Amino acid sequence: MKKLISICLTAALGLGLLAGCGEKTAPGSGEDSAQSAGSAQGEREGGAALASFTAGTLDGGSFAPEDISAKDVTILNFWALSCGPCIVEMPDLAQFSAALPDNVQLVTVCLDGAGNEDSVREVMEQSGFAGITIISGDGDLAALASSLMYTPTTVLTDSEGVLSDDVIIGGQRDLSGTYLAAVNRVLAAGGKDEISLES
C-alpha cells in the first residue's frame, strides 16, 4: 500500500511540474481578482484584447499598448520567482526570443517581480534573457494576470492587442516548436507571412 501511495505521489508531482505552478497574482498588485480575463479586458473584433494598460519593466522603463502595436505578434510569458518550472524554462525562452525576427517579440511578465527586482535580474542574467521583463502593471494586463490559474502561462497578441485563442500552460518539451506554431497561427490569421527561426 505504501508503495502504491508513493507511486501516486510521484506521478502527481510529475504532472504538477509539467503543468506548472499555481499562481493568481497580478503583476505588482498582490491581490486576486474574481473577474475573468474576457470580461475584464477591452474587446476588439469579438476577442479579448490588451487595449488599455501601463506596465513597469525591470530596467525601469515602461511597456504599453503602443509597444504591442509596433510588432505583428507579441508573446507574453507570465511567470513567478516561486515557480520552479518557470525558471527552468527561462533559458529556452531566452534562446527562442533571440532567434525571433524583428516583427515578433517575446516579453516576460514576472508576477512577483515588484519588490524582488534583484532576484528577477539574477534569473534573467543566468538564463541569458535580454528582452523586456514586466514587473508591474495595471488595466487590462493586471486583469489578464489575475485570471491566470497556473504559471508559466503564455499568451499571444496580434498588433491590435487581440489575444489569440492559443494559451500555452506549463513547461513545454519542445518550447521552440510549440511557440513557433502558435506565432505562425496568429500571423496567418492576420494575413501575414509565417516566420521561421533564425539560425
Side-chain angles (χ1 to χ4, degrees):
M1 183 69 164
K2 287 183 180 178
K3 188 173 184 180
L4 178 61
I5 291 171
S6 175
I7 291 170
C8 289
L9 287 175
T10 302
L13 178 60
L15 288 173
L17 288 175
L18 285 176
C21 305
E23 179 66 52
K24 221 177 163 186
T25 305
S29 76
E31 297 178 4
D32 288 352
S33 171
Q35 292 180 310
S36 72
S39 64
Q41 297 163 12
E43 298 287 330
R44 291 193 184 171
E45 298 176 18
L50 294 175
S52 177
F53 70 90
T54 57
T57 61
L58 183 61
D59 65 2
S62 63
F63 189 82
E66 296 77 30
D67 297 298
I68 289 176
S69 65
K71 304 290 181 178
D72 291 332
V73 178
T74 297
I75 307 159
L76 294 164
N77 172 262
F78 292 85
W79 66 286
L81 290 166
S82 58
C83 170
C86 298
I87 294 171
V88 167
E89 79 170 2
M90 200 58 70
D92 291 337
L93 282 173
Q95 186 176 15
F96 179 77
S97 178
L100 290 171
D102 290 340
N103 64 323
V104 180
Q105 66 182 334
L106 190 151
V107 175
T108 73
V109 183
C110 185
L111 297 167
D112 54 359
N116 297 304
E117 289 85 355
D118 288 342
S119 297
V120 176
R121 224 172 261 111
E122 183 178 344
V123 169
M124 292 310 183
E125 287 171 3
Q126 288 180 357
S127 69
F129 186 81
I132 297 167
T133 295
I134 294 171
I135 58 170
S136 65
D138 62 17
D140 293 340
L141 181 66
L144 175 60
S146 293
S147 73
L148 302 179
M149 294 181 67
Y150 302 101
T151 52
T153 294
T154 301
V155 299
L156 295 88
T157 75
D158 64 13
S159 61
E160 296 294 314
V162 175
L163 294 168
S164 166
D165 290 337
D166 281 319
V167 177
I168 303 166
I169 299 173
Q172 303 298 304
R173 289 190 179 155
D174 178 15
L175 185 143
S176 182
T178 300
Y179 279 46
L180 182 61
V183 166
N184 281 330
R185 283 190 290 273
V186 174
L187 289 168
K192 308 275 184 180
D193 291 336
E194 293 186 357
I195 63 165
S196 60
L197 298 181
E198 299 172 1
S199 302

